[in-house]
Amino acid sequence: MAIRLPSLTSLRAFEAAARLRSFKKAAEELSVTATAISHRIRVLEEYLERPLFLRKVRAVELTQDGLTLFSAVCSSFETIAVAIERIQKPRRKSVMLSTTPAFAAKWLIPRLASFQKAHSDIDLHIHASNTPVNLNTGTVDLAIRYGLGHYPGEAATLLLEDYFAPVASPTLLKTINQDVSQWPLIHFEWYHSLPVDLTWNTWAKVTGLNPSDLSTGIRYYEESHAIQAAIAGQGVALLSLLLIEEELRLGLLQVVTETSLKGMAYHVLKSNQYPVSEAAIIVENWLLQVAHQNPTDI
């Protein structure tokens, strides 16, 4: 049975308008009129029976349904673009690696210079998305995912284990007192529900506190934003120690208390159904090797 999807022209109009936060700018990018963009998005909203944008005077904002669709559409367009590029440039070895935006920004990208130096003949494409990809389609070679290690149909190799602890900027740390309930808090809302609760609620229970005492504060929906907010001194954040290695080393963040939560783990995944290329094996081996190095070794 064929999958029913909205028209590609409507999805392209939606992606451009959502990315640029403007129907007018989307029209200029796609070389059509703003009226055409508005019409295509209205057709898409009627198809979904949901509003995707909040129309304002000078800009538009995505609704929650719009955010959900935008994440999926961006991921799909990026995958298509990479596939086309690989078809058009078949002579060079290339590997597409999918991972989350936070892991890509905070752990992977700072280490890529060493890979490029050692393997200049391989084009490594980084696909950053919170939406898991299907490794059995042949488009994505490897993925780094965060979880408990159970991935049916895919071969998983442990890369890194994770722990979460309260951290804050040195400046803020000088101003907070011993009463945890009085700390200004930063919360991170996970994109997907997790089998392990890595929130202030669980940390409160572990430390014998009332979870309701740690329920207020600023909330972010992207992990890297929560990290930046903590560096800026906006509050104490419960963060992955793995993703803030550099910030801790440079003294931009400090651990407030040693009580931590055991997180899940990052695994390198590849298809169980199809053999991966020699280049993908090189990337996998490099990831495993660099995972055991200290940040100062990179």
Side-chain angles (χ1 to χ4, degrees):
M1 181 178 177
I3 300 175
R4 293 181 64 250
L5 293 173
S7 70
L8 182 59
T9 55
S10 292
L11 291 174
R12 285 189 67 201
F14 165 76
E15 187 277 336
R19 173 168 39 84
L20 299 171
R21 295 295 192 268
S22 167
F23 287 6
K24 180 180 178 181
K25 292 179 180 179
E28 292 173 353
E29 181 176 289
L30 298 178
S31 300
V32 297
T33 65
T35 302
I37 293 292
S38 181
H39 172 71
R40 292 172 185 177
I41 290 174
R42 188 176 299 109
V43 168
L44 184 59
E45 289 177 324
E46 290 174 354
Y47 176 88
L48 297 171
E49 299 181 348
R50 296 285 192 281
L52 299 173
F53 289 97
L54 298 174
R55 275 79 168 172
K56 297 189 175 182
V57 177
R58 297 185 181 276
V60 292
E61 291 184 5
L62 289 167
T63 63
Q64 189 60 50
D65 290 324
L67 285 169
T68 300
L69 181 61
F70 181 56
S71 175
V73 169
C74 281
S75 175
S76 300
F77 281 0
E78 288 171 4
T79 300
I80 292 171
V82 170
I84 290 174
E85 184 178 353
R86 290 176 65 179
I87 292 170
Q88 292 175 333
K89 298 180 180 179
R91 295 179 182 178
R92 280 185 63 83
K93 293 182 287 185
S94 66
V95 176
M96 184 171 179
L97 171 64
S98 179
T99 187
T100 64
F103 189 83
K106 304 304 297 181
W107 191 90
L108 181 59
I109 291 175
R111 292 165 167 79
L112 286 184
S114 67
F115 176 82
Q116 292 170 331
K117 183 178 180 180
H119 305 286
S120 59
D121 59 325
I122 298 177
D123 293 330
L124 181 57
H125 302 273
I126 307 301
H127 173 264
S129 174
N130 286 313
T131 303
V133 297
N134 185 349
L135 291 173
N136 293 318
T137 62
T139 303
V140 177
D141 300 289
L142 302 170
I144 298 174
R145 292 188 190 156
Y146 190 59
L148 298 177
H150 181 60
Y151 301 99
E154 296 165 346
T157 303
L158 177 64
L159 183 66
L160 293 160
E161 293 186 323
D162 199 17
Y163 289 85
F164 283 69
V167 298
S169 69
T171 302
L172 179 65
L173 202 53
K174 295 176 182 177
T175 66
I176 62 176
N177 56 39
Q178 297 297 318
D179 186 354
V180 180
S181 65
Q182 300 302 309
W183 288 355
L185 298 181
I186 294 173
H187 298 264
F188 166 60
E189 302 288 343
W190 290 90
Y191 184 77
H192 296 294
S193 60
L194 300 178
V196 177
D197 187 3
L198 300 172
T199 65
W200 280 113
N201 182 69
T202 300
W203 190 86
K205 294 176 182 177
V206 169
T207 55
L209 298 171
N210 187 338
S212 63
D213 290 339
L214 303 183
S215 60
T216 61
I218 307 173
R219 297 181 184 274
Y220 290 93
Y221 292 84
E222 173 56 55
E223 202 165 0
S224 58
H225 294 169
I227 293 172
Q228 288 304 120
I231 293 172
Q234 293 180 9
V236 182
L238 186 65
L239 296 177
S240 161
L241 298 180
L242 186 63
L243 297 189
I244 59 170
E245 284 178 343
E246 184 70 0
E247 287 77 6
L248 292 173
R249 186 178 69 82
L250 295 175
L252 298 174
L253 291 173
Q254 294 181 7
V255 175
V256 181
T257 172
E258 294 300 327
T259 303
S260 62
L261 298 178
K262 183 160 190 326
M264 297 190 292
Y266 289 95
H267 292 80
V268 182
L269 274 61
K270 56 190 175 185
S271 172
N272 256 344
Q273 299 183 19
Y274 304 100
V276 297
S277 66
E278 179 183 348
I281 296 297
I282 291 174
V283 173
E284 180 184 22
N285 290 337
W286 173 80
L287 286 168
L288 296 173
Q289 177 186 2
V290 79
H292 293 91
Q293 294 176 340
N294 294 318
T296 53
D297 296 332
I298 299 165

